[in-house]
Each structure stands twice: as structure tokens, then as C-alpha cells.
Amino acid sequence: MEIPQLMHIEENIRIAVPPAVIDQIWSEVDRWHLWDPDTKQARLNGPFAVGTHGRIVPSKGMGIPLLVTERTAGRSFTVEGYIPLFRIHFEHKVAAVEGGSEVAHRVWFTGALAFLFGPGVARQVREGLPRTMLSLKAYAEKRNEAVNHAA
């Protein structure tokens, strides 16, 4: 299915850490708020695996249920936030490149009410996602540096 550009947001960034470091950071769902300025709180009610439900509370707005819909350890995961008739999909991918990792975050919307909620949410995501990616980069590189100095 073709996703209209208005409802599809993607940001990419290079981070000077191995993909395993990014994947470890992603898997610590209850710590997402440490690197994602648009997340106040997140949790899963079980393992970081397909089918696990949880909850995410954005820094602005009300908390919504969360579901892990895709997980490939070391490479990617997708979570879906949902309210009746509206879904927001957050896809995260990491790949090894020279000097570290290429990280991509992609967001899109589905559901009968996507036409209603999508444009406003898309505007917020478009503003916040570049900040989130820069924050992830700083967090991952600092964390990796601390681990390497401790070794």
C-alpha cells in the first residue's frame, strides 16, 4: 500500500557506535525517555518481542497503548501506538556502515481516522524527529565512550 507523503516521515543519521549498541539502547524501553525528548515514559508488559503490549506517554499529550509489531534483534523493530480507528507506526532500523551505524526512524499512520489525526500528529513528528535522532546519537556515543573507557 502506498503511504501518502504527508503521512510518512523519515529521518536518518550516522552514529559512531556499532549497531549492537543502538539495538541495546532500543531494547531498554523503560529508558527511552533518556534519549527521546518526545517520550515522557514508555514500558512493555513483557519481553522486547513481537506481540508484547505496553504503554507510551509522549512529553505532550496522553499515554496510549503500544504493541511491538516487528523485531529483528540487532537490526530493527517496529511499534504501533493505537487508539480506536487510528494507528501510529514507529519503525526503527540500524545497519553497520564504516565508522559505526546508519540509523533510520520512520513514522506513518493508518486507520479510518488517519485523515483526521494524521496531519496534526505528522507536524509534531516532523518537528521532533530530527531532535530525537540527534539526542539518540549523543546518548549512544557518550554511552559507548563510557563503556570503552571502563574496559
Side-chain angles (χ1 to χ4, degrees), residues 86-146:
F86 180 66
R87 304 277 187 270
I88 181 169
H89 308 266
F90 298 92
E91 178 184 69
H92 306 75
K93 292 187 173 193
V94 62
V97 294
E98 185 154 341
S101 299
E102 177 80 24
V103 178
H105 285 194
R106 189 171 160 231
V107 181
W108 71 95
F109 313 97
T110 59
L113 294 180
F115 77 95
L116 183 63
F117 294 126
V121 176
R123 198 168 25 260
Q124 290 177 350
V125 171
R126 260 194 200 88
E127 289 171 10
L129 197 52
R131 264 193 326 268
T132 296
M133 297 298 273
L134 289 171
S135 183
L136 174 61
K137 176 180 172 64
Y139 181 80
E141 289 174 353
K142 183 177 181 182
R143 176 174 165 154
N144 195 53
E145 187 178 307

Side-chain angles (χ1 to χ4, degrees), residues 7 10-11 42 51-52 68 83 86 116 131 141 143 148:
M7 304 292 192
E10 183 170 345
E11 286 287 328
T52 300
V68 180
I83 61 173
F86 180 66
L116 183 63
R131 264 193 326 268
E141 289 174 353
R143 176 174 165 154
N148 288 337

